[in-house]
Amino acid sequence: MSFDCGTTSTRTILFDHNGNIVSVAYQDFAQIYPKPGWVEHNPMDIWEAQLKTAKEALKQANASASDIVGIGITNQRETTIIWDKATGKPVMNAIVWQDRRTADVCQELKEQGLSEYVKENTGLLIDSYFSGTKIKWILDHIEGAREKAEKGELLFGTVDTWLIWNLTGGKVHITDYSNASRTMLFNINRIEWDDKLLRELAIPRAILPELRPSSDVYGLTVESLFGASIPVAAAVGDQQGALFGQACFQEGMVKATYGTGGSLLMHTGSKPIRSDSGLLTTVAWGLNNKVEYALEGLLYVVGASVQWLRDELKLISDAKETEQLAQEVADTNGVYVVPAFVGLSAPYWDQYARGAILGLTRGANRNHIVRATLESIAYQIRDVITCMEQDSGIKNSELKVDGGVCCNNFVMQFQSDLLGVPVIRPKVVESTARGAAFLAGLATGFWQSQSELLDTFELDRRFEPTFDICKRNQLYAGWQKAVDRSKDWEDH
């Protein structure tokens, strides 16, 4: 049983021994926007939606708790929850990874000269994306929170930690290395919480979860939830889960996840590779007493730009329409969309950039804007792959893809054209959930080894590039010019 707890929805998926989906249950939860640039979730909504989908997935499969070998959890990563240890009640809403309210705190940390220390020890850049400054914000702004935290009466967790705590009836307060490596508080070289950063951010160690490998039996679910106890046997950040689910077990393998946001990971083996081009160094997973690493390029807005076309601009009523609309025009008529709604992520890291539509002329119509929005997804991926190749010295030879947007054939073909390499889409595009299931299955003996998992990969479609190098580079140069125009827009 895999819990895939994303940013806008949560799902539970049951997988069989061949890695095939047996049943899926899905539920959206509310997005809360208290101020511009602020994004929150109600942690109780997340837990209730997850529990509801778990029961629904069992019902659909006509299965009971005793049929489930283990639960693997994969989750939106940097989202920050602090709750009362005694009552289990959150002290406020979760602050979501997209939230920018701590941009000023990040600026102060940079001015204190901490950038190099953070990069060297956490693999991250100082940015409000990560959990560290969000925790500080909650402790500084919620009445009584700091005092309670210092007495050890509050607990912090990312979404994996929150779900595991609730599943085990408050018995287990843990996170895995992959999620910990997204907090800006975790030393990826020593695999422990970093005392210096805890001091700098004034975060009491008492509130932090215990650190565990990604594939490990952490505890059992409370019997009353499902009628029998189930081992909770894996936790992994969603992007790392997708890397594992795509069987990218070897150095140099790359996958791209096209979700609400996006993420590219390149597996770099047992040593962290430092990036000189704005990528992150992150823990891929902890497994078999080993920690493996990855280079990551983060994209704030991927599928979210299609939601924007639907919900804000009302240009479409369903995301599925975009593929056909994009193909009704030969090109974008010179239009570029830069979806920097919450700033630019990798490799630019400009929190003051804002979204832009450029190159508009009188002939630009709805289809051109839809197409340019879809193309922006592929351009962002190319930005990151170029940097990965530079940092690792490894040339990318193919791209494995997953996530909702990868079902859009137009985007996948344009991606292949723009990169000049094949794009490989598997039959099971739920790689994130599959990765969590694989890790839980390895912890419980359901699968014996990673090599057994390789047999479960089935190809849906392979997209081959059709553009020549001149066309590829010309289009990309236009994108780079458009990105430059969107930078440093907000006053600061």
Side-chain angles (χ1 to χ4, degrees):
M1 178 182 272
S2 190
F3 290 177
D4 180 359
C5 192
T7 307
T8 54
S9 64
T10 189
R11 64 191 76 211
T12 298
I13 305 183
L14 299 186
F15 289 93
D16 67 16
H17 198 268
N18 296 324
N20 293 321
I21 291 176
V22 177
S23 68
V24 183
Y26 163 96
Q27 193 178 321
D28 287 323
F29 50 79
Q31 307 297 303
I32 303 158
Y33 305 105
K35 289 184 186 180
W38 291 28
V39 191
E40 297 179 357
H41 293 152
N42 179 339
M44 299 315 293
D45 286 354
I46 294 176
W47 164 238
E48 283 157 14
Q50 193 63 72
L51 189 59
K52 188 176 165 193
T53 62
K55 289 176 174 171
E56 176 61 29
L58 282 171
K59 194 170 143 201
Q60 276 183 30
N62 210 359
S64 69
S66 53
D67 298 319
I68 305 300
V69 174
I71 294 173
I73 293 170
T74 184
N75 54 287
Q76 51 158 322
R77 296 173 300 178
E78 299 78 2
T79 295
T80 297
I81 306 171
I82 294 183
W83 65 96
D84 186 297
K85 195 176 180 172
T87 65
K89 288 207 166 47
V91 299
M92 66 166 280
N93 281 334
I95 302 183
V96 179
W97 57 270
Q98 297 154 317
D99 187 285
R100 312 304 293 160
R101 79 185 65 182
T102 63
D104 295 346
V105 181
C106 294
Q107 198 53 43
E108 284 164 30
L109 294 173
K110 288 175 191 169
E111 284 160 12
Q112 287 165 27
L114 278 169
S115 295
E116 201 43 49
Y117 184 86
V118 167
K119 187 177 172 184
E120 200 50 45
N121 293 284
T122 70
L124 307 177
L125 303 167
I126 295 176
D127 193 88
S128 52
Y129 189 90
F130 306 110
S131 320
T133 57
K134 300 183 196 302
I135 300 172
K136 178 178 168 55
W137 192 94
I138 295 173
L139 296 182
D140 288 347
H141 289 81
I142 298 299
E143 200 180 330
R146 184 165 288 290
E147 293 72 17
K148 290 187 85 171
E150 276 159 7
K151 287 188 204 151
E153 292 170 8
L154 298 183
L155 299 175
F156 152 73
T158 40
V159 171
D160 57 313
T161 306
W162 169 243
L163 291 176
I164 292 167
W165 193 84
N166 280 294
L167 284 167
T168 60
K171 285 200 182 71
V172 180
H173 181 226
I174 68 108
T175 190
D176 90 297
Y177 306 145
S178 73
N179 277 297
S181 75
R182 315 303 300 183
T183 59
M184 216 174 82
L185 302 173
F186 177 76
N187 191 307
I188 62 169
N189 307 310
R190 298 203 304 270
I191 309 298
E192 62 187 29
W193 297 117
D194 189 288
D195 286 324
K196 179 178 165 73
L197 290 170
L198 293 176
R199 270 197 313 277
E200 293 288 349
L201 288 164
I203 293 170
R205 193 180 252 273
I207 71 170
L208 300 177
E210 182 195 337
L211 296 161
R212 297 283 287 273
S214 314
S215 175
D216 199 9
V217 177
Y218 310 126
L220 298 172
T221 63
V222 180
E223 210 169 294
S224 59
L225 291 176
F226 304 111
S229 292
I230 305 172
V232 183
V236 66
D238 53 9
Q239 306 307 338
Q240 291 96 325
L243 190 70
F244 202 85
Q246 287 272 29
C248 292
F249 302 147
Q250 287 167 334
E251 245 172 272
M253 294 180 102
V254 182
K255 72 89 207 171
T257 295
Y258 299 75
T260 307
S263 166
L264 279 90
L265 268 85
M266 175 187 269
H267 189 290
T268 62
S270 56
K271 284 195 185 67
I273 289 181
R274 301 276 168 251
S275 171
D276 296 319
S277 50
L279 303 184
L280 307 175
T281 307
T282 197
V283 171
W285 47 72
L287 176 67
N288 302 332
N289 300 319
K290 279 206 321 258
V291 173
E292 297 187 45
Y293 295 89
L295 272 175
E296 175 167 8
L298 284 169
L299 304 171
Y300 293 149
V301 175
V302 174
S305 61
V306 179
Q307 291 167 346
W308 167 72
L309 291 175
R310 182 191 67 199
D311 301 341
E312 313 309 328
L313 298 192
K314 313 279 190 221
L315 291 183
I316 54 169
S317 54
D318 188 309
K320 292 188 180 74
E321 294 167 32
T322 58
E323 185 176 331
Q324 191 193 336
L325 295 174
Q327 286 167 331
E328 280 174 13
V329 284
D331 52 38
T332 66
N333 199 18
V335 174
Y336 284 88
V337 171
V338 182
F341 305 133
V342 288
L344 284 166
S345 46
Y348 309 103
W349 294 104
D350 180 347
Q351 55 194 8
Y352 301 106
R354 285 297 175 266
I357 304 177
L358 296 126
L360 289 170
T361 54
R362 185 68 183 79
N365 63 32
R366 168 195 180 202
N367 294 351
H368 295 128
I369 291 170
V370 169
R371 182 172 174 134
T373 304
L374 294 184
E375 287 188 2
S376 76
I377 294 170
Y379 286 123
Q380 292 180 84
I381 300 277
R382 172 156 169 182
D383 281 339
V384 172
I385 285 191
T386 305
C387 296
M388 281 181 168
E389 292 179 337
Q390 285 164 1
D391 288 333
S392 67
I394 303 168
K395 185 92 181 84
N396 176 45
S397 58
E398 63 175 33
L399 182 66
K400 289 184 166 183
V401 298
D402 56 58
V405 180
C406 89
C407 301
N408 186 308
N409 293 325
F410 170 79
V411 177
M412 293 303 99
Q413 184 57 55
F414 188 73
Q415 188 72 78
S416 175
D417 289 337
L418 199 60
L419 294 174
V421 301
V423 166
I424 314 288
R425 182 171 68 197
K427 275 211 172 118
V428 177
V429 296
E430 301 286 359
S431 304
T432 305
R434 211 171 183 223
F438 283 169
L439 287 161
L442 288 169
T444 53
F446 188 64
W447 288 290
Q448 298 307 311
S449 68
Q450 282 162 266
S451 53
E452 197 181 340
L453 301 175
L454 292 171
D455 301 336
T456 65
F457 188 89
E458 281 184 83
L459 181 72
D460 173 54
R461 185 162 164 193
R462 183 184 171 97
F463 297 85
E464 295 284 352
T466 59
F467 288 178
D468 63 46
I469 193 158
C470 291
K471 183 172 182 183
R472 224 164 43 225
N473 291 344
Q474 192 185 356
L475 285 167
Y476 186 58
W479 163 255
Q480 290 174 303
K481 192 170 154 190
V483 168
D484 273 343
R485 297 287 199 276
S486 77
K487 285 179 181 169
D488 205 27
W489 179 262
E490 281 279 283
D491 292 334
H492 56 95

Coordinates of all heavy atoms in Angstrom, one line a residue, residues 1-3 65-73 164 167-168 216-222 226 228-234 440-441 443-445:
M1 N 0.9 -1.2 0.0 CA 0.0 0.0 0.0 C 0.9 1.2 0.0 O 1.8 1.4 0.9 CB -0.9 0.0 1.3 CG -1.8 1.3 1.3 SD -2.8 1.3 2.9 CE -4.2 0.4 2.4
S2 N 0.7 2.1 -1.0 CA 1.5 3.3 -1.1 C 0.6 4.5 -0.9 O -0.4 4.7 -1.5 CB 2.1 3.3 -2.5 OG 3.1 4.3 -2.6
F3 N 1.1 5.4 0.0 CA 0.5 6.7 0.2 C 1.3 7.7 -0.6 O 2.5 7.8 -0.3 CB 0.5 7.1 1.7 CG -0.4 6.3 2.6 CD1 -0.3 6.6 4.0 CD2 -1.2 5.4 2.1 CE1 -1.2 5.9 4.9 CE2 -2.0 4.7 3.0 CZ -2.0 4.9 4.4
A65 N -6.9 -5.4 5.7 CA -5.6 -5.0 6.2 C -4.6 -6.2 6.2 O -3.4 -6.0 6.0 CB -5.8 -4.4 7.6
S66 N -5.1 -7.4 6.5 CA -4.2 -8.5 6.6 C -3.6 -8.9 5.2 O -2.6 -9.7 5.1 CB -4.9 -9.7 7.2 OG -6.1 -10.0 6.5
D67 N -4.2 -8.4 4.1 CA -3.6 -8.7 2.8 C -2.5 -7.7 2.5 O -1.8 -7.9 1.4 CB -4.7 -8.5 1.7 CG -5.9 -9.4 1.8 OD1 -5.6 -10.6 2.1 OD2 -7.0 -9.0 1.7
I68 N -2.3 -6.7 3.3 CA -1.3 -5.7 3.0 C 0.0 -6.0 3.7 O 0.1 -6.1 5.0 CB -1.8 -4.3 3.4 CG1 -3.1 -4.0 2.7 CG2 -0.7 -3.2 3.1 CD1 -3.1 -4.0 1.2
V69 N 1.1 -6.1 3.0 CA 2.4 -6.5 3.5 C 3.0 -5.3 4.2 O 3.7 -5.5 5.3 CB 3.4 -7.0 2.4 CG1 4.8 -7.3 2.9 CG2 2.8 -8.3 1.8
G70 N 2.8 -4.1 3.7 CA 3.4 -2.9 4.3 C 2.9 -1.7 3.7 O 2.4 -1.7 2.6
I71 N 3.1 -0.5 4.4 CA 2.7 0.8 3.8 C 4.0 1.5 3.5 O 4.9 1.6 4.4 CB 1.9 1.6 4.8 CG1 0.5 0.9 5.0 CG2 1.7 3.0 4.4 CD1 -0.3 1.5 6.2
G72 N 4.1 2.1 2.3 CA 5.2 3.0 2.0 C 4.6 4.4 1.8 O 3.5 4.5 1.2
I73 N 5.3 5.4 2.3 CA 4.8 6.8 2.2 C 5.7 7.6 1.4 O 6.9 7.6 1.5 CB 4.7 7.4 3.6 CG1 3.6 6.6 4.4 CG2 4.3 8.9 3.5 CD1 3.5 7.0 5.8
I164 N 3.0 9.3 9.6 CA 3.4 8.2 10.4 C 3.0 8.3 11.9 O 2.6 7.4 12.5 CB 5.0 8.0 10.2 CG1 5.3 7.5 8.8 CG2 5.5 6.9 11.2 CD1 6.8 7.6 8.4
L167 N -0.6 7.5 12.0 CA -0.9 6.1 11.7 C -0.6 5.2 12.9 O -1.2 4.2 13.2 CB 0.0 5.6 10.5 CG -0.5 6.0 9.1 CD1 0.7 5.7 8.1 CD2 -1.7 5.3 8.7
T168 N 0.5 5.6 13.6 CA 1.0 4.8 14.8 C 0.4 5.3 16.1 O 0.9 4.9 17.2 CB 2.5 4.8 14.9 OG1 3.0 6.1 15.0 CG2 3.1 4.2 13.6
D216 N 12.6 0.7 5.9 CA 12.8 0.2 7.2 C 11.4 0.1 7.9 O 10.5 0.9 7.6 CB 13.6 1.3 8.0 CG 14.3 0.7 9.2 OD1 14.3 -0.5 9.4 OD2 14.8 1.6 10.0
V217 N 11.2 -0.9 8.7 CA 9.9 -1.0 9.4 C 10.0 -0.1 10.6 O 10.7 -0.3 11.6 CB 9.6 -2.4 9.8 CG1 8.3 -2.5 10.6 CG2 9.4 -3.3 8.6
Y218 N 9.2 1.0 10.6 CA 9.2 2.1 11.6 C 8.3 1.7 12.8 O 8.5 2.2 13.9 CB 8.8 3.4 11.1 CG 9.5 3.8 9.8 CD1 8.8 4.2 8.7 CD2 10.9 3.8 9.7 CE1 9.5 4.6 7.5 CE2 11.6 4.2 8.6 CZ 10.9 4.6 7.5 OH 11.5 5.0 6.3
G219 N 7.2 1.0 12.5 CA 6.2 0.8 13.5 C 5.0 0.2 12.9 O 5.0 -0.1 11.7
L220 N 3.9 0.0 13.7 CA 2.7 -0.6 13.2 C 1.5 0.4 13.3 O 1.5 1.2 14.2 CB 2.3 -1.8 14.0 CG 3.3 -3.0 14.0 CD1 2.9 -4.0 15.0 CD2 3.4 -3.6 12.6
T221 N 0.6 0.3 12.3 CA -0.6 1.2 12.4 C -1.4 0.7 13.6 O -1.5 -0.4 13.9 CB -1.4 1.1 11.1 OG1 -1.9 -0.2 11.0 CG2 -0.6 1.5 9.9
V222 N -2.2 1.7 14.1 CA -3.1 1.4 15.2 C -4.2 0.5 14.6 O -4.7 0.8 13.5 CB -3.8 2.7 15.7 CG1 -4.8 2.4 16.8 CG2 -2.7 3.7 16.2
F226 N -7.6 0.2 10.4 CA -7.9 -0.6 9.3 C -8.4 -2.0 9.7 O -8.6 -2.9 8.8 CB -6.7 -0.8 8.4 CG -6.1 0.5 7.9 CD1 -4.8 0.9 8.3 CD2 -6.8 1.3 7.0 CE1 -4.3 2.1 7.9 CE2 -6.2 2.4 6.5 CZ -5.0 2.9 7.0
A228 N -6.8 -4.2 11.4 CA -5.6 -5.0 11.8 C -4.4 -4.1 11.6 O -4.4 -3.1 10.9 CB -5.5 -6.3 10.9
S229 N -3.3 -4.4 12.3 CA -2.1 -3.6 12.2 C -1.4 -3.9 10.9 O -1.3 -5.0 10.5 CB -1.2 -3.8 13.4 OG -1.8 -3.4 14.6
I230 N -0.8 -2.8 10.3 CA 0.0 -3.0 9.1 C 1.4 -2.3 9.4 O 1.4 -1.2 9.9 CB -0.7 -2.2 7.9 CG1 -2.1 -2.7 7.7 CG2 0.2 -2.4 6.6 CD1 -2.9 -1.9 6.6
P231 N 2.4 -3.0 9.0 CA 3.8 -2.4 9.2 C 3.9 -1.1 8.3 O 3.6 -1.1 7.1 CB 4.8 -3.4 8.7 CG 4.0 -4.7 8.7 CD 2.6 -4.4 8.5
V232 N 4.4 0.0 8.9 CA 4.7 1.2 8.1 C 6.2 1.0 7.8 O 7.1 1.0 8.7 CB 4.5 2.5 9.0 CG1 4.8 3.7 8.1 CG2 3.0 2.5 9.4
A233 N 6.5 0.8 6.5 CA 7.9 0.3 6.2 C 8.7 1.1 5.2 O 9.8 0.7 4.8 CB 7.7 -1.1 5.6
A234 N 8.2 2.3 4.9 CA 9.1 3.2 4.0 C 8.6 4.6 4.1 O 7.4 4.8 4.2 CB 9.0 2.7 2.6
A440 N 9.0 -0.1 0.6 CA 8.3 -0.8 1.7 C 8.4 -2.3 1.5 O 8.6 -3.1 2.4 CB 6.9 -0.4 1.8
G441 N 8.3 -2.7 0.2 CA 8.4 -4.1 -0.2 C 9.7 -4.7 0.1 O 9.9 -5.9 0.5
A443 N 11.8 -3.6 2.5 CA 11.9 -3.7 4.0 C 11.2 -4.8 4.6 O 11.6 -5.4 5.6 CB 11.4 -2.4 4.6
T444 N 10.1 -5.3 3.9 CA 9.3 -6.4 4.5 C 9.5 -7.7 3.8 O 8.9 -8.7 4.2 CB 7.8 -6.0 4.3 OG1 7.5 -5.7 2.9 CG2 7.4 -4.8 5.2
G445 N 10.5 -7.8 2.9 CA 10.8 -9.0 2.2 C 9.8 -9.4 1.1 O 9.9 -10.5 0.5

